[in-house]
Amino acid sequence: MALRQVRLLAARAAALPASLRQRPSRSPLSAPSRAQTQTAASASSWAILGSIPRVADGADVSLALTPPPRVSILTVSPRVFPEPITPQHFPFVLAADPSGLLLLQATLGRPWTREATLGPDGDYKSVMWHNSLPRYFLLDPAAASAFQLPDPDAAVMHQALLGLIASPAGGGRYMVAELRPLIGSDKATLLCFSSETGKWVSKCVHYPLPARPLEPINVLSHHGRLWWVDITWGVITSDPFADHPVLRFVPFPPGRVLGYGQASGVADIYRCVGVSAGKLRFVDTIYMGPIIGGTPDISVWTLPGPDATEWTLEHQVSFGEIWADESYKATGLPVDIPALALIHPEDPDLVYFFLENHIFGVDVRARKVVDCKVYDLVAPPRCKVASRFVRAWKLPQPLLSG
């Protein structure tokens, strides 16, 4: 943690040129919007979805769509989340699939209880304490429906390792799968729920990673596979529909892999992995070393294909170049390192950031701000916002036409 704080704070303080430290006066207008030059169809073909929905009476699920860069907000009914929201227990969208389906965690709080497991000789094998009731829903906003997944025999180990993928057979079929590694061994399990069978099954897989705990942040569906993202290390991919799935690991580029715990709890403020223009992209703004006469940078890396083993650097631009441009000055935002939000799902040149009460898009190729709007989230407070709290969601046809 100390190393991470030194690096990030040094980047903020020491790397800002004096000419950039003065806060610009706020213009009465937002920065020019690239969306103004797009067709109405392309402007509404995707949404920035807030990960934490509202809870209100009405349909089990409803969606208030708004054009990016503003954030669209999901609402679920008290049937889905029947308790008051607390900082520890709240509904959370784990995955947004292009099929239109959403995977929601709706874990409820409970008094502390002890669960003991007895061995064959009657002695205690293990004792675990719980203060929550895990619940997971498959949401279909177009149909305003919410289906609660049955409980698996083995409880979900980590919600950030739980992913959703539509079946290649279509017809609204899908699979939910959790990667369950046994750290220190070469074995893991895929715990899979299939909508076709309505049951959970476990599939044993070879685990190709060395003995290091994962720091998962989310799971993406792309090219018929799930991609488990460890935002400090790399991505793991597999086809959960296969009878005998094979895991494959693609580490981040050299110099971009962080040590375990090096950026614990904050890595997704400065990094994200997303799908854009049909390819997996890794966006990194973490300060990795000394800066001589410059500022921290934004780098965008591409995995050229689903079977590729190395990332290709597409763009690298310093924040100083962005801050110095008239398009940034027009926003009236301060010269400060923003929190990373996401990459545009159709345009890999366009990366979005949070700063103060605004979300703004940067065309990293042109080194300009192309859109800037005030945003609203149900939670968290703006001082704690990060990429995990929004989802770049390509909208299915029923929502586009609705």
Side-chain angles (χ1 to χ4, degrees):
M1 180 176 292
L3 177 59
R4 182 262 304 171
Q5 289 175 332
V6 168
R7 283 180 167 175
L8 295 179
L9 293 177
R12 286 175 179 268
L16 303 185
S19 61
L20 294 175
R21 289 176 187 158
Q22 184 177 358
R23 183 187 182 108
S25 58
R26 187 174 297 279
S27 166
L29 299 176
S30 295
S33 172
R34 172 185 284 192
Q36 294 172 354
T37 66
Q38 295 175 322
T39 65
S42 63
S44 61
S45 63
W46 71 289
I48 299 176
L49 182 67
S51 297
I52 300 178
R54 294 190 181 99
V55 178
D57 292 331
D60 277 345
V61 56
S62 60
L63 180 63
L65 280 175
T66 185
R70 291 193 170 95
V71 179
S72 297
I73 300 298
L74 194 72
T75 299
V76 297
S77 73
R79 185 186 78 84
V80 175
F81 201 85
E83 297 181 355
I85 291 177
T86 69
Q88 293 76 35
H89 300 104
F90 49 86
F92 190 81
V93 176
L94 297 174
D97 191 81
S99 65
L101 301 178
L102 303 173
L103 179 61
L104 182 85
Q105 177 190 18
T107 298
L108 305 178
R110 290 292 182 265
W112 281 103
T113 56
R114 188 181 74 160
E115 178 184 340
T117 302
L118 298 179
D121 55 1
D123 294 335
Y124 285 119
K125 183 178 180 182
S126 65
V127 176
M128 300 181 65
W129 289 86
H130 304 279
N131 70 335
S132 61
L133 176 63
R135 300 157 75 244
Y136 299 93
F137 286 82
L138 197 289
L139 306 182
D140 184 348
S145 66
F147 169 70
Q148 184 174 353
L149 301 181
D151 295 334
D153 291 335
V156 170
M157 294 176 60
H158 197 305
Q159 70 276 8
L161 289 172
L162 197 64
L164 165 68
I165 185 170
S167 169
R173 293 181 287 267
Y174 61 87
M175 183 171 286
V176 174
E178 183 197 21
L179 174 61
R180 302 164 64 94
L182 183 60
I183 303 301
S185 81
D186 61 354
K187 296 179 175 61
T189 300
L190 283 182
L191 181 63
C192 302
F193 175 82
S194 168
S195 63
E196 294 192 60
T197 64
K199 297 179 180 180
W200 292 88
V201 298
S202 293
K203 300 180 181 182
C204 294
V205 292
H206 172 74
Y207 189 65
L209 281 72
R212 165 179 159 165
L214 293 177
E215 297 184 74
I217 199 68
N218 66 313
V219 186
L220 302 170
S221 59
H222 170 56
H223 205 269
R225 302 177 190 168
L226 287 177
W227 300 75
W228 290 267
V229 179
D230 180 328
I231 206 65
T232 67
W233 197 5
V235 294
I236 307 168
T237 184
S238 186
D239 175 8
F241 293 101
D243 292 333
H244 303 286
V246 176
L247 297 181
R248 189 170 60 85
F249 178 58
V250 184
F252 288 143
R256 300 285 171 169
V257 173
L258 302 179
Y260 176 71
Q262 187 175 353
S264 181
V266 300
D268 68 325
I269 300 176
Y270 305 101
R271 288 180 159 188
C272 73
V273 174
V275 177
S276 180
K279 294 181 180 180
L280 211 64
R281 317 282 177 166
F282 166 47
V283 185
D284 189 14
T285 67
I286 283 185
Y287 172 66
M288 295 295 292
I291 297 176
I292 308 292
T295 56
D297 62 34
I298 308 164
S299 61
V300 179
W301 303 75
T302 297
L303 199 63
D307 297 320
T309 58
E310 295 182 352
W311 301 82
T312 300
L313 180 63
E314 296 285 352
H315 305 293
Q316 190 163 25
V317 55
S318 74
F319 278 108
E321 294 176 86
I322 305 301
W323 294 327
D325 193 82
E326 290 300 321
S327 63
Y328 188 87
K329 295 175 183 178
T331 69
L333 292 171
V335 173
D336 199 0
I337 306 294
L340 183 59
L342 50 86
I343 188 168
H344 193 296
E346 297 168 344
D347 184 351
D349 293 345
L350 191 50
V351 179
Y352 288 88
F353 297 90
F354 297 110
L355 188 58
E356 294 189 334
N357 62 341
H358 284 72
I359 183 170
F360 64 96
V362 172
D363 185 328
V364 291
R365 184 184 296 274
R367 291 159 166 75
K368 292 181 179 295
V369 174
V370 297
D371 214 348
C372 181
K373 294 289 190 298
V374 173
Y375 75 91
D376 289 302
L377 288 172
V378 175
R382 288 189 169 98
C383 62
K384 296 184 178 181
V385 75
S387 60
R388 84 187 99 163
F389 293 109
V390 287
R391 308 290 182 201
W393 188 26
K394 292 191 69 173
L395 297 173
Q397 190 58 44
L399 290 177
L400 288 173
S401 59

